[in-house]
């Protein structure tokens, strides 16, 4: 009983920190409609800056608390820089681009933090005046945790006063509902956005800085907190401050008490709660339907016939892919094999993103499910490769049917968040259930059968399967099913009136995409000889997104071009520099800012510009 | 005060306005008439900068405003009351007014909540009610009051009579005449000819994004042929 109470108390302390981050995220979203992936980076920067300041400043109350506050303000300034330099240019871009751009910031900040503070964990001093503990029910509870418990409600109260008692707060609330109207009333939205971003970044920075006496500062803080903050914000309702508070409480306690009940699967528990809330209340506990962004994106061009030169180029590339490999070395062969797999992976995501119009930020889940089911079959059943490769798409497809049933009900950011959450569930199972999956060490020794063991044979096998699957996907997009899919994307309502069951179509497309991603994952497992939890991680989902966006969402050849360009780029970057995250992040930003239509889109636009529109 | 010439605008590839020209003099009420979809709202939005004009000139109080962002246009003294009202439903009446508040230019008597409540008495009785829990007529008054808080010299008023009961339309007409008496210039968009006639000095008729007729209100009322051709449904 006593442990239960103390555990609940420490849950409250975590809830406070979580609320600081989530409140900033939700306020920023409310006004700018941007889901800021970099919010976790603000939190991490707050912790690092606080460490630097507090260790540099003289010891004592002023040095410590001054350092914490200065760190929070410093992060606020960084937030201003990011808003004015980057976000301001993409407020009208599609949601996924915004999410991706802020993920680019995450990558850049990770490498910069590595350069500035090094890879080792940093330990901060404890808070002066709060070093001791208090006896509660006969057990000692740290004073600092009690202090944190108080911080959450105090910040909530201050924010409430700010939003209801000041003119600035009223403008923010008004802009959250209708920013264009606020502009027409003479309010400079830019100033408003920048100041909101400053506030949000400060809150995240403060949240991070306050962790200093509690846990070590490290480079994994950003992704760990952002995923939880997403969950909190989505469960609470995007844009709702009270919702964020309520959800932070719920998630904080779920973590704290879940450990007592089911120590292995607290993460799964958290994401399950999220999935249930979203299915019951698609806009979160206290959220409401968001008006579609004003002046919506221009209608996307229909998928037309492939331009002639592109067909020839494709055939030439295919011929090269068939004829040249016998002369290639082992390394080149393994790169080529990987490219073939990634083309299928990208093409599968393209099906739901392009023609389907759905956002997925967790496509790696199905890739990983395929890889793991093949590897598990090989390890525990000693199954031959053919069985493993047959199992991979089936398992991934079942996963897609299950997760998709939830995901395809939502749209926009909510769908993106839910797909991300499911991918994190899959990831945490692979990561935490180490008896079966090997945990972080993965599963080794997943090699092809003897006949397929030579790299060249395995390459041709992979090429054949991936080519067939990719061509099948193209067929599907041009078949009546593809028309129905695009019809529901363009107008769900209109599609329903002509007898298209939008839910069923979306669900089937989602499952089909999962099947194909699973096949890619299975092939990947045998190509590498091993599987790891990273196969299901956020970065791999982002890889897929990047390939599709790099190529261009609205062209069939986009994912193919994108996969080739992306793999090539990554290979080069990894070989040239240790700072590949920095380079990749910068590439993402450049892509989002200058090539919003992707490579194939840009090429097509040039072609049509020169030869008259199609 | 406001001179628009050769104004064109489009949504995506659809050309909505082709050749719009109109003028509003100081203290004048001009009504823009036309059928559904003629381009009335788009004209007002283009003047306000909410829809980017693709061609044409818009001069307001001697300055070219085409292509400027809406907040700058608003600060020059142009007020906009949208057709859909767009009340901030989570904010109370007083808070809605606060969002619209701007300092009055020197020499102009400032609109305050108290003066606006004298103009729209029903609003004064619900100062702390959230905008989302008001009737359509009350919302229409609030959206006008909110715009007046910005101390405009000219107001673009998009179909203020739409969807209102006849008694409320009557009261709306009185309010507009009171504003006119204060010296405010108004560019009104309307389909309700009866209402337009009660408040306007001049009329401009738009059809398919082009101005078709222009003249005094009395001339329009005398010419059944024009009304038949451009306004009857
Ligand atoms: N956001 C938009 N996107 C595309 N087309 C639009 C948009 N808004 C209006 N239109 C089209 O522009 C044309 C003019 O619309 P507008 O709203 O200006 O007409 P209106 O004269 O105000 O009509 P009403 O009397 O119904 O308010 C219409 O054909 C309409 O369908
Ligand atoms: Mg209209």
């Amino acid at each position: 009983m006593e442990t239960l109470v103390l555990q609940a108390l420490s849950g409250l302390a975590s809830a406070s920190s979580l609320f600081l981050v989530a409140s900033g995220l939700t306020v920023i979203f409310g006004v700018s409609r941007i889901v800021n992936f970099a919010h976790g980076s603000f939190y991490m920067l707050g912790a690092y800056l606080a460490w630097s300041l507090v260790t540099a400043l003289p010891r004592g109350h002023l040095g410590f608390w001054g350092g914490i506050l200065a760190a929070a303000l410093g992060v606020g300034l960084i937030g201003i820089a990011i808003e004015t330099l980057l976000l301001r240019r993409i407020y009208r871009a599609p949601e996924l681009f915004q999410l991706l751009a802020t993920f680019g910031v995450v990558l850049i900040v990770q490498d910069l933090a590595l350069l500035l503070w090094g890879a080792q964990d940093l330990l901060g001093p404890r808070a002066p005046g709060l070093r001791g503990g208090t006896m509660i029910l006969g057990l000692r509870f740290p004073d600092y945790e009690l202090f944190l418990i108080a911080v959450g409600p105090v910040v909530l109260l201050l924010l409430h006063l700010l939003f209801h008692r000041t003119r600035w707060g009223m403008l923010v609330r008004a802009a959250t509902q209708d920013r264009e109207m606020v502009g027409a009333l003479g309010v400079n939205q830019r100033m408003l956005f920048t100041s909101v971003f400053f506030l949000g970044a400060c809150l995240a920075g403060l949240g991070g800085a306050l962790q200093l006496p509690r846990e070590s500062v490290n480079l994994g803080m950003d992704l760990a907190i952002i995923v939880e903050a997403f969950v909190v914000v989505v469960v609470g309702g995007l844009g709702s401050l009270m919702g964020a508070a309520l959800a932070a409480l719920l998630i904080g306690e779920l973590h704290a008490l879940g450990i007592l009940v089911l120590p292995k699967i607290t993460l799964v528990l958290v994401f399950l709660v999220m999935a249930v809330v979203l299915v019951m209340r698609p806009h979160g506990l206290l959220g409401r339907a968001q008006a579609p962004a004003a002046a919506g994106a221009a209608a996307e061009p229909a998928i037309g016939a492939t331009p002639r030169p592109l067909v020839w180029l494709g055939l030439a590339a295919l011929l090269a892919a068939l004829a040249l490999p016998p002369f290639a070395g082992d390394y080149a062969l393994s790169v080529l094999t990987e490219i073939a797999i990634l083309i299928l992976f990208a093409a599968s995501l393209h099906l739901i993103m392009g023609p389907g119009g759905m956002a997925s930020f967790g496509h790696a889940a199905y890739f990983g499910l395929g890889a793991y089911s093949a590897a598990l079959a090989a390890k525990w059943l000693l199954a031959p490769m053919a069985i493993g490769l047959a199992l991979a798409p089936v398992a991934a497809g079942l996963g897609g049917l299950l997760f998709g049933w939830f995901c395809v009900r939502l749209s926009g950011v909510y769908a993106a968040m839910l797909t991300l959450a499911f991918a994190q569930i899959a990831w945490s199972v692979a990561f935490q259930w180490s008896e079966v999956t090997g945990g972080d060490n993965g599963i080794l020794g997943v090699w092809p059968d003897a006949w397929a063991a030579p790299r060249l044979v395995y390459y041709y096998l992979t090429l054949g399967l991936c080519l067939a699957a990719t061509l099948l996907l193209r067929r599907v997009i041009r078949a009546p099913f593809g028309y129905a899919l695009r019809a529901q994307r363009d107008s769900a309502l209109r599609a329903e009136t002509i007898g298209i069951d939008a839910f069923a179509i979306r669900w089937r497309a989602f499952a089909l995409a999962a099947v194909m991603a699973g096949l890619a994952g299975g092939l990947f497992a045998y190509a590498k000889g091993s599987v790891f939890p990273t196969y299901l991680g956020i970065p791999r989902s982002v890889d897929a997104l990047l390939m599709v966006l790099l190529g261009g969402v609205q062209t069939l050849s986009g994912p193919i071009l994108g996969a080739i360009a992306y793999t090539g780029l990554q290979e080069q970057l990894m070989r040239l520099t240790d700072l590949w995250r920095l380079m990749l992040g910068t590439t993402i930003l450049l892509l989002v800012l200058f090539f919003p239509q992707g490579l194939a889109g840009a090429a097509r636009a040039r072609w049509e510009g020169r030869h008259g529109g199609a | 005060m406001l001179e628009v010439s050769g104004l064109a605008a489009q949504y995506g590839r659809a050309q909505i306005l082709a050749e719009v020209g109109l003028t509003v003099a100081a203290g004048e009420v001009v009504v823009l008439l036309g059928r559904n979809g003629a381009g009335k709202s788009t004209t007002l939005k283009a003047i306000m900068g909410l829809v980017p004009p693709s061609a044409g000139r818009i001069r307001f109080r001697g300055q070219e405003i085409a292509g400027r962002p809406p907040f700058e246009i608003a600060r020059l003294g142009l007020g906009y009351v949208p057709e859909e009202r767009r009340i901030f439903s989570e904010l109370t009446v007083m808070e809605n007014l606060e969002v619209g508040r701007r300092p009055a230019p020197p020499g102009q008597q400032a609109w305050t909540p108290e003066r606006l409540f004298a103009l729209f008495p029903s609003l004064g009785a619900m100062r702390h009610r959230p905008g989302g829990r008001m009737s359509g007529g009350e919302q229409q008054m609030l959206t006008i009051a909110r715009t007046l808080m910005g101390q405009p010299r000219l107001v673009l008023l998009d179909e203020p009579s739409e969807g209102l009961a006849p008694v409320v339309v009557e009261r709306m007409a009185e309010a507009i005449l009171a504003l006119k008496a204060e010296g405010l210039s108004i560019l009104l968009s309307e389909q309700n000819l009866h209402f337009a006639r009660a408040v306007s000095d001049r009329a401009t008729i738009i059809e398919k994004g082009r101005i078709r007729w222009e003249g005094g209100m009395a001339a329009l009322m005398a010419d059944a042929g024009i009304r038949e051709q451009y306004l009857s449904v």
Side-chain angles (χ1 to χ4, degrees):
Chain A
M1 180 62 209
E2 287 81 6
T3 37
L4 205 64
V5 171
L6 285 206
Q7 201 61 28
L9 279 177
S10 82
L12 286 180
S14 313
S16 265
S17 310
L18 209 47
F19 171 69
L20 287 188
V21 180
S23 60
L25 193 63
T26 210
V27 170
I28 289 176
F29 175 83
V31 176
S32 68
R33 287 289 159 359
I34 282 196
V35 176
N36 180 26
F37 224 122
H39 217 67
S41 308
F42 292 160
Y43 172 85
M44 181 173 80
L45 283 175
Y48 273 114
L49 278 180
W51 181 86
S52 291
L53 287 167
V54 170
T55 45
L57 290 170
R59 300 203 150 229
H61 280 284
L62 195 65
F64 183 84
W65 299 110
I68 298 277
L69 286 182
L73 291 177
V75 174
L77 294 181
I78 295 172
I80 288 186
I82 290 176
E83 198 274 341
T84 46
L85 294 178
L86 171 68
L87 299 183
R88 191 169 274 190
R89 293 162 211 280
I90 55 167
Y91 280 132
R92 284 169 173 274
E95 284 154 345
L96 220 49
F97 269 77
Q98 300 172 338
L99 211 53
L100 206 63
T102 55
F103 187 76
V105 175
V106 170
L107 291 174
I108 292 174
V109 170
Q110 272 182 351
D111 263 358
L112 291 182
L114 176 67
L115 281 178
L116 287 170
W117 286 285
Q120 73 284 14
D121 286 16
L122 303 177
L123 279 173
R126 286 194 288 160
L130 295 172
R131 295 210 173 97
T134 303
M135 297 305 278
I136 295 174
L137 297 175
L139 291 170
R140 196 166 162 280
F141 192 74
D143 283 343
Y144 191 74
E145 299 279 291
L146 286 176
F147 162 75
L148 277 186
I149 292 177
V151 167
V154 168
V155 169
L156 177 62
L157 184 70
L158 288 177
L159 286 177
H160 186 82
L161 290 176
L162 181 66
F163 285 127
H164 287 264
R165 293 293 157 80
T166 68
R167 174 175 164 83
W168 182 84
M170 284 173 208
L171 294 183
V172 170
R173 281 161 60 218
T176 298
Q177 189 187 335
D178 188 343
R179 50 184 165 165
E180 191 189 54
M181 192 61 225
V182 172
L185 290 169
V187 176
N188 185 349
Q189 293 181 60
R190 289 194 154 187
M191 297 292 290
L192 199 62
F193 282 25
T194 309
S195 54
V196 164
F197 217 79
F198 174 74
L199 175 71
C202 277
L203 286 169
L206 183 64
L210 286 174
Q211 300 305 305
L212 199 55
R214 218 175 163 219
E215 51 187 81
S216 64
V217 184
N218 62 66
L219 291 169
M221 291 174 86
D222 52 354
L223 283 188
I225 194 82
I226 193 62
V227 172
E228 295 216 347
F230 276 166
V231 173
V232 166
V233 166
V234 164
V235 166
L238 278 164
S240 162
L241 203 58
M242 279 313 286
L246 213 62
L249 214 57
L250 180 69
I251 301 298
E253 287 301 333
L254 211 58
H255 262 307
L257 300 177
I259 285 200
L260 295 181
V261 195
L262 300 159
K264 284 273 164 194
I265 57 162
T266 50
L267 271 178
V268 177
L269 214 58
V270 167
F271 288 118
L272 274 182
V273 167
M274 169 170 165
V276 169
V277 168
L278 281 189
V279 168
M280 311 248 284
R281 292 188 61 95
H283 299 286
L285 292 175
L286 298 183
R288 54 192 70 223
Q290 304 288 350
E300 285 138 354
I303 289 178
T306 317
R308 261 294 138 84
L310 213 58
V311 175
W312 289 118
L313 206 70
L315 284 179
L318 185 59
L319 212 64
L322 283 171
L324 294 183
F327 311 103
D330 270 1
Y331 176 73
L333 273 178
S334 70
V335 172
L336 285 176
T337 308
E338 197 168 318
I339 289 182
I341 293 172
L342 290 181
I343 285 178
L344 177 58
F345 185 35
S348 71
L349 177 61
H350 171 259
L351 174 71
I352 46 179
M353 270 176 73
M358 296 177 264
S360 174
F361 227 92
H363 203 52
Y366 312 101
F367 185 84
L369 267 177
Y372 264 93
S373 46
L376 288 173
K379 180 179 175 191
W380 296 105
L381 307 176
L382 302 174
M385 182 177 76
I387 303 284
L389 283 185
L391 207 58
V394 173
L398 289 177
L401 277 178
L402 176 66
F403 293 164
W405 189 79
F406 295 94
C407 296
V408 302
R409 288 157 194 276
L410 306 179
S411 58
V413 248
Y414 280 94
M417 299 291 103
L418 194 60
T419 48
L420 176 73
F422 280 126
Q424 285 300 101
I425 293 186
W427 174 83
S428 57
V429 169
F431 188 75
Q432 292 185 333
W433 199 14
S434 41
E435 295 86 354
V436 175
T437 62
D440 205 16
N441 297 323
I443 300 172
L444 306 179
V446 191
W447 295 114
D449 296 349
W451 65 269
R455 281 190 194 279
L456 189 63
V457 178
Y458 193 73
Y459 165 73
Y460 278 123
L461 175 72
T462 306
L463 184 70
L465 286 173
C466 290
L467 194 67
T470 308
L471 288 178
L472 184 72
L473 281 173
R474 289 178 71 116
R475 277 298 295 259
V476 165
I477 291 175
R478 291 210 161 116
F481 178 79
Y483 285 108
L485 192 61
R486 272 174 278 152
Q488 66 77 32
R489 170 196 72 189
D490 295 337
S491 165
L493 211 62
R494 218 176 317 143
E496 298 274 356
T497 58
I498 55 172
I500 293 173
D501 181 350
F503 172 78
I505 293 276
R506 287 158 70 97
W507 193 26
R508 269 145 63 189
F510 198 93
L512 177 61
V515 165
M516 295 305 187
L519 177 61
L523 285 166
F524 197 69
Y526 284 106
K528 295 280 168 184
S530 51
V531 295
F532 299 101
T534 51
Y535 287 16
L536 304 132
I538 299 176
R540 185 157 295 269
S541 291
V542 171
D543 282 350
L545 271 173
L546 276 176
M547 288 186 273
V548 172
L549 294 177
L550 188 67
V553 180
Q554 294 307 334
T555 47
L556 280 176
S557 41
I560 301 173
L561 269 179
I564 296 171
Y566 183 74
T567 326
L569 193 74
Q570 213 183 21
E571 281 290 323
Q572 293 306 318
L573 286 181
M574 292 250 219
R575 223 181 317 166
L576 283 178
T577 165
D578 289 337
L579 299 176
W580 64 272
R581 284 192 202 86
L582 186 68
M583 307 302 275
L584 186 60
T586 313
T587 313
I588 295 179
L589 295 190
L590 294 178
L591 169 70
V592 168
L593 288 175
F594 300 110
F595 283 101
Q597 293 196 307
L599 293 179
R604 177 178 281 253
R606 278 193 66 139
W607 164 256
E608 283 174 1
R610 229 180 301 150
H611 296 84
Chain B
M1 172 142 287
L2 178 72
E3 295 162 44
V4 178
S5 59
L7 182 66
Q10 49 209 41
Y11 290 111
R13 285 188 190 166
Q15 178 97 18
I16 304 297
L17 301 184
E19 269 284 339
V20 173
L22 53 84
T23 58
V24 183
E28 199 180 24
V29 177
V30 174
V31 62
L32 187 60
L33 291 163
R35 297 194 180 99
N36 284 114
K40 303 182 294 293
S41 299
T42 309
T43 302
L44 299 191
K45 284 181 188 165
I47 294 173
M48 198 60 208
L50 295 168
V51 170
S54 53
R57 296 160 58 86
I58 309 172
R59 288 185 80 77
F60 177 60
R61 297 175 62 218
Q63 291 193 51
E64 181 64 41
I65 58 170
R68 292 226 221 159
F71 84 92
E72 282 184 19
I73 295 175
R75 288 179 181 188
L76 288 174
L78 198 58
Y80 171 67
V81 178
E83 186 173 10
E84 321 80 27
R85 297 175 189 144
R86 297 168 80 167
I87 287 300
F88 305 118
S89 52
E90 317 250 298
L91 276 63
T92 64
V93 168
M94 286 303 275
E95 290 175 330
N96 266 283
L97 295 180
E98 173 63 27
V99 172
R101 181 171 62 86
R102 297 202 51 77
Q108 187 174 321
Q109 195 191 359
W111 287 105
T112 59
E114 292 317 313
R115 280 187 70 209
L116 288 166
F117 294 151
L119 186 65
F120 300 113
S122 55
L123 289 184
M126 49 181 75
R127 293 169 196 228
H128 300 291
R129 187 181 297 183
R133 285 199 270 124
M134 297 166 73
S135 74
E138 290 156 357
Q139 288 192 350
Q140 186 65 57
M141 292 172 197
L142 178 56
T143 176
I144 294 175
R146 183 180 65 181
T147 298
L148 290 174
M149 283 297 285
Q151 322 297 341
R153 314 231 185 192
L154 188 154
V155 173
L156 308 172
L157 209 53
D158 201 350
E159 294 207 40
S161 75
E162 192 186 2
L164 301 185
V167 222
V168 188
V169 174
E170 205 74 18
R171 251 186 287 151
M172 189 61 71
E174 284 164 23
I176 289 173
L177 287 173
L179 292 175
K180 183 177 184 232
E182 294 260 349
L184 189 72
S185 317
I186 297 175
L187 175 58
L188 186 73
S189 126
E190 260 307 332
Q191 294 205 60
N192 180 339
L193 195 58
H194 177 68
F195 176 81
R197 178 185 175 184
V199 297
S200 325
D201 305 314
R202 282 193 302 119
T204 299
I205 296 181
I206 184 170
E207 190 198 48
K208 293 196 183 121
R210 287 174 197 277
I211 299 299
R212 300 295 178 167
W213 188 88
E214 232 224 284
M217 207 62 216
L220 177 63
M221 296 321 290
D223 193 337
I226 293 285
R227 297 205 306 271
E228 179 70 24
Q229 189 177 350
Y230 295 118
L231 303 179
S232 62
V233 272

